[in-house]
Amino acid sequence: MEMLIALVILIVTLIIGIPIPFVFLATVIYLIFSLGYDPSFLIPYGFSKLNNMVLLAIPLFIMAGGMMSLGGIGRRIVDFTEMIVGKTKGGMGVVTIIACAIFGAMSGSAAAALNSIGAIMFPRLEKSGYSKGFAASLIISSSVLGLLIPPSAIMILYAWIGNQSVLASFLATLGPGIILMILLSIINTIYMKDKDINIQQNNDNPELLSTSKKRTSMLAIPGLLMPFIVLGGIYSGAMTPTEAAAVAVVYSIPIGFWFYKELNRKRLYQSFVEAATTTGVLMVMLFGIMLLSRIIIMENIPDTLMKFLLSITENTLLLMLLINLFLIVIGMLMDDVSAVLLATPLLLPIVVNLGIDPIHFAAIIGVNLGMGLLTPPTAPLLYLGGRMSKAPINTMMGPTMLMILFAWLPTLIITTFIPEVALFLPRLLLGL
Amino acid sequence: MVKGRFNLKTLVKVQKGIMIISSILILIGLFLSVCLRYVFKIDLFGIEELLLIPIFLLYFIGAAQGSYEKSHITADILESYVKSGKIKAWNRLVTSVVVLIVCLIITFWNSQYIFWSFNNGGNTSGYQIPLFIPHGTVLIGFILMSFYSLIDFFRQISMVKDEMKKGKE
Amino acid sequence: SSSEGASGEKEKAGDTIDIRLSGQSPDDHPSTQALYKFAKQVKEKTEGRINVKVYPANQLGDYTTVYKEIGRGTLDMALISLPGELDDRLRLNFVPYLVKDYKDIDSVIGTDSYVFNKLQEVNNEQGVQLLGFHANGFGGIGTTKEMTNLLDLGEDKGLLLRVPPDDVFRQPMVDIGFRTVTIPYADLYTSLQTGAADGWSGGEASLNYLGYRDVIKYYYQTNDFFNADALIINKSLLDGLNEEDRKLIEELSKEMMAESIETSESYDKEYMEKLKEEGITVVEFSEEEVNKLAEYVRENTWPKLKERLGDDIIDELLKE
Ligand code: NA
Ligand code: NA
């Protein structure tokens, strides 16, 4: 009973617009009082959970992404990708997808990819004959690659809550990310097929005409090296993810100052403050969810939920569909971070019980919550993309729906029912 | 009023300073430990303990800054479907009250724990850093968050008053 | 009716009591299995009046916070490592080569021993009662690389060993000749996998098998630590129980301890076999060789631990 009221409190406070960390904390406070717990155990439990070096990787990856962004790497990546694949029909769409993936390999979130690549790609896509709505939809779908291509803040959180290997969780979403890239490219090609566009338009880009190929490549190199430093450092075992993130920040500072010459001391400090603020907001949320999940464990909620699910059906395939449905709903109501924090402690024990590999589930959660960033009512990427591109949201709904139906849902189904998509790389590289 | 604003600005400046210094200390610490490991084959013993205080400062002063900037993540579903300015203003007032109450309760629980921790809390195992220091930064963070939500609460009251006046005109 | 476990009030006849018992080992670890058995027996013998719910695998937090919670009474019982972070003297049973072989276990850490009574004294100061230990077995060194000069004491082993950030664990390894790295336990698996550490010390064969069989290639049974988790209970909860219930819990705890001491040797053997079946090279040492290691560490390392544990404790141990 108390749990049902708690669920109502959670949903109501969420809907009226209470900031999500305080949604979690308000629910905790209700449960503490209604179940008669002594609150004194919760605070130190929360502290001890936050005291974990893996979490520190999150602010550092945010900083690294911010530093590269301020240093102007986004534009260099786009120029470089355009130079290689841009001169075909519909090539600009593919440039968008690939540029987001490359930027995704050096930053940890979808918003970072949207901020860095989106702003540059909107005008270029429009000039190449894309409608505003389609361009904006393609960019927001592609920017989720920032989450699916490692490193990924969501996967760090998943690994942290579920006691899983960060390295394996990172690799789990890479396969689905590649499938998504392919499906988005196909949709893009079909869309452009009907358009009568002169390919030569691409060459109007003054940037590309004035700078030689050599120079474009040279300018992109320091940025393109970053994924090798970060991912190479992690997967060779030279560094922990946290150390690799710190090295990435330290690497990006001189690049931004002296190579791209777009970073200065004021911007540097600004990016420290921004990363710290983003992280601080996240940490209060983690603190709240930790307290909540401690009560969830003590009250045996995963057991209860499991029994409930099994009373509906004992078919594993159907149960996985139900769990996906549940994740889609959570994804509609919450942003990716809040959702992974809430869903992992609830669902991981259940899927493990069903015989699903936790690393496979990492991929399922990653794809679901990535898609959740595009599905209203809570759709941060949709709104942010709309604002940045000045495309009215209603013009984005159609193409976004199209991409959800023909790119996202197929990716989700493949990821759910073919475990190898998620597990192939972790097995190959980590011998799991 | 002018003096009050000045103090708030100073407070925010101090917060930013703490975040910048913590970031730099963390970066130096981690970078140094990687370098020492590969160049000099030395383990920087218990680096995570040494960084504990800057890490917690970064997290919870950052959280306070988030409250000041109102950048805590919201789902905001109601806001996007309700058109009436009056309902919006009242809803924001209710929201700010809930946030304030939650902040105050968590701050209270936190302070209870810190007092207890001060007397019985223990130290980190390597460098014997008393744990109430890093944990105290969380309390500071929540005190600041309570403070900012109080300010927001007063702001929302005056917003509701404005909306009610508009209705009468 | 149900009462909150650790309220500290006197138990009334007919009340049912819920006890939350926190464990730190994985579900299939012998010590967690022992906890399930303990819970089942308590329930049977009290005809369901006392209901012990086991939360394994650090679900309710790591040993430090769980210990604090037992002291404050927000959790009731636990089977955990005692946290030296709270009181240096709680490290007492982690002194390297404290127990030399299976014969000595009961005399060194049994309920009549100096170690047990000293620890009981310290635990009581924190509001915690020590009920007994669950003996897990002798610790060894699991590595990803081969090591040939382990017994050349003091000579560099060319191996980077993960140790807990604590002198009691680190110092003996440094003295034997390892380079050490203090990676948090949570990151141990990843760091072995990626090579950020070449090995780790302190875990018994079963823990090496259950947690790290996929990453280690060698296991050296050095017997450096005798691993035993402490079964503890909130003191006022225990004192508040009626005579009969208290005796029952104390009896069952002693049974659990005695059984674990009896089985620890066979468990060590069983899991060393399992490690071998996984293709891991298991290196065992003769009694003479283990003695050589023990003597070296007692001579070189123990005096350095005086600062942490206090002169009187180390002197007392050296006397024995
Ligand atoms: Na990424
Ligand atoms: Na959504």
Side-chain angles (χ1 to χ4, degrees):
Chain A
M1 189 60 204
E2 281 87 0
M3 278 298 161
L4 282 181
I5 299 177
L7 188 65
V8 172
I9 293 179
L10 189 111
I11 293 171
V12 169
T13 47
L14 190 73
I15 287 174
I16 66 171
I18 307 246
I20 294 178
F22 301 105
V23 167
F24 291 149
L25 288 171
T27 314
V28 169
I29 290 169
Y30 165 75
L31 285 172
I32 289 278
F33 286 126
S34 66
L35 295 171
Y37 283 112
D38 175 345
S40 58
F41 70 89
L42 281 177
I43 304 292
Y45 177 74
F47 288 169
S48 76
K49 283 288 183 177
L50 292 189
N51 183 5
N52 185 328
M53 288 302 272
V54 167
L55 283 180
L56 182 61
I58 296 174
L60 296 173
F61 277 127
I62 296 175
M63 263 181 222
M67 229 57 101
M68 289 313 252
S69 225
L70 287 174
I73 186 64
R75 190 156 48 82
R76 274 72 178 204
I77 291 175
V78 169
D79 287 345
F80 180 74
T81 322
E82 191 177 339
M83 184 183 87
I84 291 171
V85 291
K87 291 194 178 76
T88 53
K89 193 171 177 181
M92 264 307 172
V94 180
V95 170
T96 308
I97 297 164
I98 294 176
C100 281
I102 295 176
F103 192 79
M106 55 183 87
S107 75
S109 74
L114 180 57
N115 277 323
S116 301
I117 305 296
I120 303 153
M121 282 318 297
F122 284 125
R124 295 195 190 182
L125 280 172
E126 260 197 285
K127 229 175 15 191
S128 310
Y130 288 76
S131 76
K132 260 201 166 110
F134 190 91
S137 300
L138 184 65
I139 288 177
I140 60 172
S141 263
S142 307
S143 65
V144 182
L145 291 167
L147 181 161
L148 296 175
I149 309 272
S152 161
I154 294 301
M155 285 300 121
I156 292 174
L157 292 173
Y158 175 82
W160 171 69
I161 296 182
N163 273 325
Q164 300 301 319
S165 150
V166 176
L167 282 72
S169 305
F170 274 178
L171 290 177
T173 50
L174 187 50
I178 292 167
I179 292 177
L180 183 73
M181 285 173 73
I182 294 169
L183 293 175
L184 286 175
S185 302
I186 292 173
I187 292 177
N188 166 69
T189 312
I190 294 173
Y191 170 84
M192 283 311 276
K193 219 172 155 186
D194 305 335
K195 305 249 157 185
D196 190 24
I197 309 283
N198 186 356
I199 303 164
Q200 294 309 310
Q201 271 186 338
N202 284 335
N203 288 344
D204 290 350
N205 185 344
E207 196 98 26
L208 274 186
L209 289 176
S210 63
T211 49
S212 67
K213 285 190 178 187
K214 210 172 156 193
R215 190 171 153 72
T216 307
S217 310
M218 216 245 333
L219 279 172
I221 284 173
L224 293 173
L225 275 178
M226 184 129 141
F228 289 98
I229 294 172
V230 174
L231 299 178
I234 297 174
Y235 287 98
S236 69
M239 293 178 260
T240 65
T242 311
E243 289 168 345
V247 169
V249 179
V250 173
Y251 167 79
S252 61
I253 293 174
I255 299 290
F257 265 95
W258 295 301
F259 193 81
Y260 292 142
K261 298 194 175 87
E262 289 184 21
L263 200 60
N264 54 40
R265 192 183 293 198
K266 203 177 158 199
R267 285 183 145 193
L268 178 72
Y269 287 164
Q270 189 54 36
S271 84
F272 282 150
V273 169
E274 273 169 20
T277 309
T278 312
T279 312
V281 167
L282 185 77
M283 288 301 158
V284 185
M285 196 139 81
L286 297 195
F287 187 70
I289 200 69
M290 273 307 109
L291 308 192
L292 188 58
S293 70
R294 171 72 191 266
I295 297 177
I296 288 175
I297 294 165
M298 285 174 92
E299 294 293 319
N300 292 322
I301 301 304
D303 274 3
T304 316
L305 202 61
M306 176 85 186
K307 280 187 192 123
F308 171 71
L309 283 174
L310 284 176
S311 73
I312 301 173
T313 173
E314 288 191 8
N315 182 325
T316 308
L317 290 185
L318 282 177
L319 283 170
M320 284 316 289
L321 276 180
L322 275 178
I323 286 173
N324 269 310
L325 207 63
F326 180 73
L327 282 169
I328 290 174
V329 173
I330 287 191
M332 287 167 74
L333 292 174
M334 289 184 171
D335 68 290
D336 53 343
V337 171
S338 323
V340 76
L341 295 177
L342 190 67
T344 311
L346 272 180
L347 298 180
L348 186 58
I350 295 175
V351 298
V352 167
N353 225 310
L354 292 175
I356 307 289
D357 192 303
I359 298 306
H360 177 201
F361 192 57
I364 296 176
I365 280 209
V367 175
N368 261 302
L369 303 186
M371 181 170 78
L373 291 167
L374 318 171
T375 51
T378 303
L381 287 188
L382 188 71
Y383 305 137
L384 186 61
R387 269 207 304 278
M388 285 174 68
S389 64
K390 298 192 181 67
I393 297 291
N394 58 1
T395 65
M396 288 175 71
M397 289 311 289
T400 300
M401 235 22 209
L402 195 83
M403 284 170 209
I404 286 175
L405 277 178
F406 296 106
W408 281 101
L409 288 178
T411 306
L412 185 57
I413 290 167
I414 294 170
T415 307
T416 304
F417 295 111
I418 308 177
E420 282 70 27
V421 170
L423 294 174
F424 172 72
L425 282 170
R427 280 188 185 140
L428 183 74
L429 291 175
L430 302 171
L432 283 183
Chain B
M1 194 63 204
V2 173
K3 197 171 175 241
R5 244 180 225 163
F6 173 72
N7 282 338
L8 199 58
K9 266 192 183 160
T10 317
L11 184 60
V12 173
K13 257 193 190 151
V14 172
Q15 283 173 192
K16 286 186 175 173
I18 292 173
M19 287 185 271
I20 292 166
I21 292 166
S22 302
S23 304
I24 293 172
L25 286 177
I26 291 167
L27 287 173
I28 291 176
L30 288 171
F31 191 69
L32 209 63
S33 86
V34 174
C35 290
L36 285 176
R37 189 160 71 230
Y38 287 102
V39 184
F40 302 101
K41 310 262 179 229
I42 303 170
D43 172 39
L44 204 51
F45 175 67
I47 178 75
E48 66 276 4
E49 273 183 35
L50 292 175
L51 292 182
L52 200 58
I53 295 171
I55 288 174
F56 268 81
L57 274 174
L58 180 83
Y59 292 170
F60 284 90
I61 299 301
Q65 181 73 16
S67 273
Y68 168 74
E69 294 173 6
K70 296 206 78 178
S71 53
H72 282 283
I73 300 156
T74 48
D76 253 353
I77 296 164
L78 195 74
E79 280 279 299
S80 46
Y81 290 97
V82 168
K83 293 277 174 289
S84 151
K86 219 182 271 180
I87 296 179
K88 271 188 187 171
W90 275 104
N91 182 51
R92 282 184 193 158
L93 179 63
V94 171
T95 307
S96 73
V97 173
V98 175
V99 172
L100 178 61
I101 292 172
V102 168
C103 272
L104 288 174
I105 292 175
I106 300 291
T107 306
F108 175 68
W109 286 349
N110 239 310
S111 61
Q112 272 185 323
Y113 174 67
I114 299 301
F115 283 127
W116 181 85
S117 174
F118 185 77
N119 297 317
N120 319 273
N123 305 322
T124 63
S125 49
Y127 291 101
Q128 306 286 302
I129 301 165
L131 282 171
F132 72 86
I133 298 177
H135 293 169
T137 63
V138 185
L139 178 60
I140 295 171
F142 270 102
I143 290 174
L144 287 168
M145 278 186 269
S146 304
F147 173 66
Y148 291 127
S149 30
L150 186 70
I151 293 179
D152 185 50
F153 169 63
F154 287 132
R155 195 185 304 139
Q156 298 307 334
I157 287 183
S158 66
M159 299 280 262
V160 167
K161 277 184 187 159
D162 289 351
E163 280 293 330
M164 297 311 276
K165 263 183 220 157
K166 255 190 231 167
K168 274 172 196 159
E169 275 158 21
Chain C
S1 67
S2 154
S3 72
E4 271 304 302
S7 58
E9 284 161 24
K10 274 283 171 197
E11 181 190 359
K12 290 185 205 78
D15 270 3
T16 62
I17 302 171
D18 290 324
I19 289 182
R20 291 195 174 90
L21 199 172
S22 170
Q24 63 184 5
S25 303
D27 207 50
D28 43 3
H29 191 269
S31 69
T32 307
Q33 293 302 317
L35 288 183
Y36 288 136
K37 188 175 167 194
F38 174 84
K40 198 173 150 225
Q41 283 179 326
V42 170
K43 192 166 191 172
E44 275 169 14
K45 298 216 163 140
T46 59
E47 284 155 349
R49 263 188 314 106
I50 301 184
N51 186 16
V52 180
K53 167 100 174 102
V54 179
Y55 297 86
N58 282 336
Q59 278 179 20
L60 299 182
D62 67 9
Y63 63 97
T64 319
T65 53
V66 165
Y67 184 88
K68 283 189 205 168
E69 287 200 32
I70 303 287
R72 303 186 78 188
T74 50
L75 270 179
D76 309 312
M77 285 183 79
L79 182 65
I80 49 171
S81 315
L82 294 173
E85 294 89 330
L86 285 180
D87 187 315
D88 284 328
R89 295 169 298 170
L90 287 176
R91 292 180 173 92
L92 182 50
N93 67 313
F94 294 122
V95 169
Y97 291 106
L98 183 67
V99 182
K100 223 172 54 210
D101 54 35
Y102 297 103
K103 298 188 300 284
D104 291 345
I105 301 170
D106 193 52
S107 64
V108 179
I109 63 167
T111 44
D112 296 326
S113 64
Y114 167 76
V115 171
F116 188 94
N117 287 301
K118 188 77 200 172
L119 283 172
Q120 187 67 282
E121 189 186 313
V122 182
N123 278 305
N124 282 344
E125 286 172 25
Q126 306 267 356
V128 172
Q129 181 81 11
L130 180 61
L131 292 166
F133 288 103
H134 182 279
N136 294 332
F138 277 103
I141 300 172
T143 67
T144 56
K145 290 181 186 160
E146 192 173 11
M147 155 175 61
T148 50
N149 60 347
L150 180 63
L151 292 170
D152 301 332
L153 301 168
E155 192 178 283
D156 181 39
K157 304 287 178 287
L159 227 68
L160 189 60
L161 210 60
R162 182 270 171 187
V163 290
D166 195 315
D167 291 343
V168 174
F169 298 102
R170 191 178 70 113
Q171 198 58 53
M173 295 302 139
V174 171
D175 289 340
I176 289 172
F178 289 98
R179 280 188 299 121
T180 59
V181 55
T182 51
I183 295 164
Y185 187 68
D187 297 333
L188 174 56
Y189 187 93
T190 312
S191 52
L192 287 173
Q193 195 173 48
T194 58
D198 304 321
W200 73 296
S201 72
E204 66 273 14
S206 58
L207 202 54
N208 271 281
Y209 176 81
L210 292 170
Y212 305 96
R213 62 173 180 268
D214 295 334
V215 282
I216 61 168
K217 302 237 162 41
Y218 299 88
Y219 177 69
Y220 300 87
Q221 186 61 60
T222 48
N223 291 17
D224 37 21
F225 301 95
F226 184 71
N227 287 334
D229 299 338
L231 183 66
I232 54 173
I233 188 167
N234 174 273
K235 194 169 185 314
S236 47
L237 168 69
L238 187 71
D239 293 344
L241 293 176
N242 66 36
E243 184 81 16
E244 189 195 339
D245 289 348
R246 192 169 62 236
K247 281 230 169 88
L248 176 72
I249 287 187
E250 283 168 349
E251 274 313 307
L252 289 175
S253 305
K254 272 191 186 161
E255 261 176 44
M256 176 173 145
M257 178 163 178
E259 207 171 295
S260 72
I261 290 175
E262 241 172 66
T263 51
S264 62
E265 187 170 4
S266 62
Y267 271 126
D268 277 350
K269 293 236 150 59
E270 184 189 328
Y271 279 97
M272 272 194 265
E273 278 313 307
K274 286 189 176 180
L275 284 169
K276 285 177 198 164
E277 282 165 25
E278 286 289 317
I280 292 157
T281 311
V282 175
V283 181
E284 290 174 82
F285 298 96
S286 69
E287 198 177 328
E288 212 173 78
E289 287 169 322
V290 171
N291 276 339
K292 186 180 160 195
L293 275 161
E295 286 312 315
Y296 182 82
V297 167
R298 287 174 181 178
E299 231 169 79
N300 292 281
T301 313
W302 282 18
K304 294 178 191 162
L305 298 177
K306 278 187 175 176
E307 202 185 315
R308 269 293 154 86
L309 291 161
D311 291 353
D312 51 328
I313 287 181
I314 293 295
D315 289 341
E316 188 69 36
L317 290 180
L318 283 168
K319 240 192 292 171
E320 291 187 8

